[in-house]
Amino acid sequence: MVETKRWNITKNGTNNEKMIIEAGDLLKVGEAVAFPTETVYGLGADATNHEAVSKIFQAKGRPQDNPLIAHVATKEQLFQLVKAVPSYVEELVDTFSPGPITYVLPSNGTCADNVTAGLTTVGVRIPSHPVALKLLKTCNIPIAAPSANLSGKPSPTTAVHVWEDLNGKIAGLVDAGPTGVGLESTVIDCTQDIPVILRPGGISKEELEEVVGKVMVDPALQSAEANEKPKAPGMKYKHYAPEVPMWLIDGGSEKMQITYNQLIAEGKRVGILANRNTLEKLNVEEKISLGESLEEVAANLYDGLRKFKQGDVDIILCDTYPEIGIGQAVMNRLRKAASRYIAE
Ligand code: TXA
Ligand code: MG
């Protein structure tokens, strides 16, 4: 157990500067510190320091073969970590960074080998959250940072989630309230002539295609039956798991009500996770609203997954969403979190 220092930062607070310097100082001496990004909270450590990076794996219980994303403050710093890249990369960076996108590029070896998990590529991103950017500028080193949750659990979108998972295991937590997008960055492999989405996220396929034309999607993402090995090592692990089993119900409120009634008749305690429109049509007791738009659903999803606790419910039923825009990322995460998919 270590004592986890916690700084409460309001976005426009006057003493932010001092707190960010303190957090940056801990990062510079090789400690692991959690901080907010516009997607989810990250657990950061000096990406050039092998021992510092190993503290991330230890605190999270993360498999060693799963590489981390290096976070930097500027385009120049991003290109300092990689070898020659295809010409479309600069266009992507100019359009979407800072923002919720991670580029997988050929590594030049600047990052420690446990950041890249021994791969020849490195994932790099420039977050747009003002606190993350300030922290990165203050310490002026690339910061390796996975989501700041225990491995397997839903990613943290508030400092409370980070505290639940990592208090006593990390040196510090910069608390700046809820994140924004609520789902992780889009991971895009930029080592070939045509970019490939390895993990859908904050920037959609449609948005990417407007800039670079054709974009492919890792076949492993497209169908559960494809039996393809995902190219982002982390995508093969069980992820985002709530405390109790969750079933995805594809078939609208009617199918949801029928399934609910059956489970209740069997004596089960059932929690419903759904958007406002679906909830309005249901006659159920335990429910959490994910909001209305796809953006709201993305922002509320991980908190919803964490809120249903063992002891309160035996099973969660969740509805499905159209796979357009951020809906692609929402459905990717829901499929991974669910133990069963029920279609009409
Ligand atoms: O929004 C985000 O990306 C957040 C915030 C904190 O920046 N970070 C995040 O990191 O989600 P993590 O470690 O939870 O997920 C990183 C994903 C994993 O699936 C990993 O396998 C993949 O990116 N990845 C990282 N480096 C890679 C590489 N060189 N090649 C292929 N996949 C890579
Ligand atoms: Mg993660």
Side-chain angles (χ1 to χ4, degrees), residues 198-254:
L198 305 184
R199 176 179 74 180
I203 303 289
S204 69
K205 181 166 187 275
E206 296 89 327
E207 288 173 282
L208 291 166
E209 282 181 331
E210 268 177 42
V211 178
V212 289
K214 194 172 164 59
V215 173
M216 301 206 296
V217 176
D218 183 357
L221 295 180
Q222 279 164 333
S223 95
E225 298 93 61
N227 244 341
E228 302 271 348
K229 190 165 172 271
K231 295 209 174 57
M235 299 297 281
K236 71 173 181 279
Y237 290 107
K238 188 166 168 55
H239 258 91
Y240 320 112
E243 283 189 17
V244 297
M246 181 174 88
W247 293 2
L248 262 186
I249 311 288
D250 186 0
S253 52
E254 226 165 286

Side-chain angles (χ1 to χ4, degrees), residues 152-206:
K153 288 191 53 171
S155 300
T157 50
T158 67
V160 174
H161 298 159
V162 180
W163 198 252
E164 260 173 26
D165 282 11
L166 298 176
N167 178 28
K169 296 182 168 167
I170 59 175
L173 163 60
V174 181
D175 174 353
T179 54
V181 180
L183 299 180
E184 301 86 340
S185 63
T186 302
V187 177
I188 183 165
D189 180 345
C190 298
T191 56
Q192 308 294 326
D193 291 344
I194 298 172
V196 186
I197 295 175
L198 305 184
R199 176 179 74 180
I203 303 289
S204 69
K205 181 166 187 275
E206 296 89 327

Side-chain angles (χ1 to χ4, degrees), residues 35-43 60 62 65-71 99-105 107 115-117 119-125 127 145-149 155-156 183-187 189 198-199 202 230-237 239-240 333:
F35 62 95
T37 81
E38 75 280 20
T39 58
V40 300
Y41 273 78
L43 176 58
K60 281 183 59 97
R62 182 175 174 107
D65 69 347
N66 192 4
L68 307 178
I69 295 169
H71 295 64
I101 182 165
T102 298
Y103 311 95
V104 170
L105 299 165
S107 168
V115 172
T116 56
L119 298 174
T120 56
T121 54
V122 62
V124 195
R125 98 174 186 93
S147 48
N149 51 286
S155 300
L183 299 180
E184 301 86 340
S185 63
T186 302
V187 177
D189 180 345
L198 305 184
R199 176 179 74 180
K231 295 209 174 57
M235 299 297 281
K236 71 173 181 279
Y237 290 107
H239 258 91
Y240 320 112
R333 306 308 190 270

Side-chain angles (χ1 to χ4, degrees), residues 248-252 255 318-320 341-344:
L248 262 186
I249 311 288
D250 186 0
K255 185 78 188 169
C318 181
D319 56 358
T320 56
Y341 191 97
I342 298 186
E344 268 184 299

Side-chain angles (χ1 to χ4, degrees), residues 304-339:
L305 288 176
R306 278 176 181 260
K307 271 206 176 112
F308 280 122
K309 301 279 185 205
Q310 222 163 16
D312 296 338
V313 298
D314 302 309
I315 190 161
I316 303 168
L317 300 183
C318 181
D319 56 358
T320 56
Y321 295 88
E323 297 192 48
I324 27 172
I326 191 80
Q328 291 160 3
V330 168
M331 283 305 295
N332 169 264
R333 306 308 190 270
L334 281 178
R335 283 201 199 92
K336 285 175 157 285
S339 56

Side-chain angles (χ1 to χ4, degrees), residues 16-26 28 135 138:
N16 279 3
E17 199 95 353
K18 192 169 154 267
M19 293 191 277
I20 288 178
I21 289 172
E22 270 180 39
D25 283 345
L26 281 180
K28 281 195 274 190
L135 184 62
T138 302

Side-chain angles (χ1 to χ4, degrees), residues 154 157 161 180-183 242 246-249 256 271-280 282 286-308 316-322 326-327 329-331 333-335 337:
T157 50
H161 298 159
V181 180
L183 299 180
M246 181 174 88
W247 293 2
L248 262 186
I249 311 288
M256 184 80 104
I272 305 284
L273 197 57
N275 85 339
R276 198 171 302 134
N277 291 339
T278 307
L279 285 183
E280 274 168 7
L282 293 177
E286 290 288 331
K287 57 190 168 186
I288 291 175
S289 170
L290 293 175
E292 191 127 20
S293 65
L294 282 176
E295 283 70 23
E296 283 177 283
V297 171
N300 294 325
L301 182 61
Y302 289 146
D303 188 59
L305 288 176
R306 278 176 181 260
K307 271 206 176 112
F308 280 122
I316 303 168
L317 300 183
C318 181
D319 56 358
T320 56
Y321 295 88
I326 191 80
V330 168
M331 283 305 295
R333 306 308 190 270
L334 281 178
R335 283 201 199 92

